[in-house]
Amino acid sequence: MNLAAGFGVAGVKRFPPIGSVFNTLKEKSKLSLDTNMTSGVGLIEQLSKLIDSQDTAYTVENSKPKVKRKALTVRSALRQIKVEGQPLRVKQACELIRNTQHDRVPSVALARRRTDADGHMSLVLDLDAEQIEGSTYAWAVMTCRKLENIRDETRKLRHMQRMQFLPPLNNVKHGQMPKLDVYERAVVNSELAELDARWAADAGSQALQEKLIREMLALARGIDRRVRVNLEAFGSRLYGLSTSASDFDLAMSIRVPQRNAEVGFMRFVRHFVVRLQRTRGFQRVVWLQHARVPIVKFVYRTSHGEHECDVSFNHGLGMAKSRMIHTYMRSDPRVRQVLMVLKEWAITRAISNQNAMNSFGVMLMGLTYLAQERVVPPLQLLTTNAMNTRGWKNLAALQQSREQISALYLSEQSEPIRCVQSGEQLPDWRVEGKNAYFLAKSVGWQSPNKQTVPELLFGLFRFYGCEFEPENHAVSLRLGSARIARANLHELKVQMPEMVLGRPQMWRENLRLLAVEDPFEPQVNCARSAQGEWVEGLLWEMRRAAAVLRSGANEGRVLSALF
């Protein structure tokens, strides 16, 4: 079993269904593909190189087509390659690939998506496929082990790889994390210390951040003395899970005089952007004024190099979310360690990205599991951090009741929301019209869960990879569970999978297998951009991570083997 495989840069790459590899973004002339997906031109180039290595006459028509608002299928792409005057067929392409030795071109194969009796999906090779219609096929690119003579080993390679391509790894569902011996515990402690040093910005980075804030405040406050301006870091820089090279995410709060406040706000931001563009050290300034939250992106250049920066305006909810994550991390030392490993895993395995789900969504999945396992309390439902059996029982009843969940929505509140432990009324903290309350006090919390960090990580990966049902359940940190029925979160803007499963032509565009509720904006799905194929890959990566942890120390590695 090759546990180095994957759908990110670490191994095998996963791609969307054949019929929509070249699906384009609406009203844009660029391909709708993230970093984990191949490009049509790249596929054509690979096949062309293989044909060329056999000294076969061929032509390529429109090798760089202008794609605008029009889906180009792989069948259409293959038609651009003509061998002896005839379009290249799928069977010819597969035959060509497995019978050609070319060290610099990775092997390409058709893979069929297969679902087992338990409903788990995986990809297996299907080199005999002659039809590519439908959504059950996907292009997969993998680097095979180097064979002395691929022509002579073709038959052996075919049988060796046929059922081992992205193995389902379902056996981890019933496995347990073995107890670590003294040596393995020492390895884990060393790995955690190394990761902790990496995911803590050094003094120089902190000083640079303070310098940047001072300069930007001076620019902003010089525009209009009547406007009150404040600027501070948020996101990973606020809750202390960033490297020295991480981007600077800043939030600027602007209070203009009450009269014509909205017009005054836009005028102020416009003047601020102009000042940034005219100030030395601020380069490539771009104002995304039509984004959900207005953002200015720029590069801050110093003698130490260039630093990517984002400034959002009046983004109180972003600050509230960052502070809540910080409170969760302070409630138990294991929380930061689990989230740190999870973030490193998501980045090195090329899982988190802006085109599917960013690191904030991955963090929510991690925190929700920790709340589900009672490592941390449900901060948004408490006025005290002293949870006992009664509190946990009340929370469990809430998580399963559609009526009680509905009563938590602001639009349907007929009576105040009460603490699941004490019954006291929860404070109403309004930020941008949303209830952003959470228990900001973390001192004194005693978790009943005594598992170690490796055990928690194994449980997290096994739960999402084997037990989590994305078509039925939603991840809700607000409610402290990843087993919330999707139908009970009726304000969450996500289609139920059964609405599109019977219409394959809609899968690519509308199928959203993963629902991750934003803790303060319950109508927002943090995985709204994640397509079905990406979610399948994510769950497989979870199973793969659980299998790696269960295998124990390998060549002096335990946690680092995840990456």
Side-chain angles (χ1 to χ4, degrees), residues 196-370:
D196 188 65
R198 165 175 162 75
W199 286 103
D202 58 25
S205 180
Q206 295 284 0
L208 182 62
Q209 175 179 291
E210 294 173 2
K211 177 176 179 291
L212 173 62
I213 290 177
R214 287 196 304 268
E215 290 185 18
M216 294 182 66
L217 279 176
L219 290 174
R221 289 171 177 169
I223 297 173
D224 190 339
R225 297 294 180 180
R226 299 172 300 170
V227 178
R228 297 179 60 183
V229 182
N230 189 36
L231 182 66
E232 54 187 321
F234 78 105
S236 59
R237 289 273 179 177
L238 187 150
Y239 50 75
L241 202 57
S242 63
T243 68
S244 298
S246 295
D247 297 350
F248 291 106
D249 293 322
L250 306 175
M252 177 177 289
S253 60
I254 303 171
R255 291 187 180 182
V256 299
Q258 193 66 27
R259 185 178 180 182
N260 294 327
E262 185 174 349
V263 175
F265 168 77
M266 294 301 292
R267 183 185 298 117
F268 182 90
V269 175
R270 187 176 297 108
H271 285 303
F272 176 71
V273 171
V274 172
R275 284 200 166 202
L276 280 181
Q277 293 171 333
R278 295 176 178 176
T279 303
R280 184 178 181 181
F282 297 90
Q283 300 179 346
R284 299 196 288 278
V285 181
V286 178
W287 180 17
L288 305 178
Q289 56 181 314
H290 299 298
R292 195 165 69 95
V293 177
I295 295 176
V296 171
K297 304 175 75 70
F298 62 92
V299 173
Y300 184 55
R301 187 170 186 176
T302 66
S303 57
H304 301 288
E306 295 184 345
H307 311 274
E308 299 283 343
C309 305
D310 294 344
V311 181
S312 57
F313 300 95
N314 290 348
H315 190 26
L317 282 175
M319 292 296 302
K321 294 170 191 175
S322 300
R323 292 188 179 114
M324 186 174 70
I325 292 177
H326 192 205
T327 304
Y328 272 119
M329 292 175 63
R330 290 184 303 172
S331 64
D332 190 295
R334 294 171 295 176
V335 177
R336 184 181 189 277
Q337 294 175 323
V338 169
L339 295 183
M340 177 177 63
V341 175
L342 190 63
K343 190 169 184 178
E344 178 78 12
W345 168 80
I347 291 175
T348 56
R349 299 292 296 180
I351 291 170
S352 59
N353 63 81
Q354 296 298 327
N355 295 315
M357 187 172 68
N358 58 20
S359 60
F360 177 67
V362 177
M363 299 273 281
L364 287 180
M365 294 181 71
L367 279 172
T368 303
Y369 175 79
L370 294 179

Side-chain angles (χ1 to χ4, degrees), residues 368 372 381 395-402 405-406 408-409 463 468-490 492 496 515-517:
T368 303
Q372 181 174 283
L381 299 173
L395 177 63
L398 167 65
Q399 293 168 348
Q400 299 174 15
S401 171
R402 181 181 179 88
I405 292 175
S406 296
L408 299 180
Y409 291 117
F463 168 75
F468 179 61
E469 300 177 7
E471 66 277 10
N472 298 321
H473 295 154
V475 179
S476 175
L477 177 60
R478 177 175 63 108
L479 301 176
S481 175
R483 293 190 177 99
I484 304 299
R486 288 172 65 144
N488 290 349
L489 300 176
H490 60 270
L492 186 63
M496 296 298 289
V516 180
E517 182 191 57

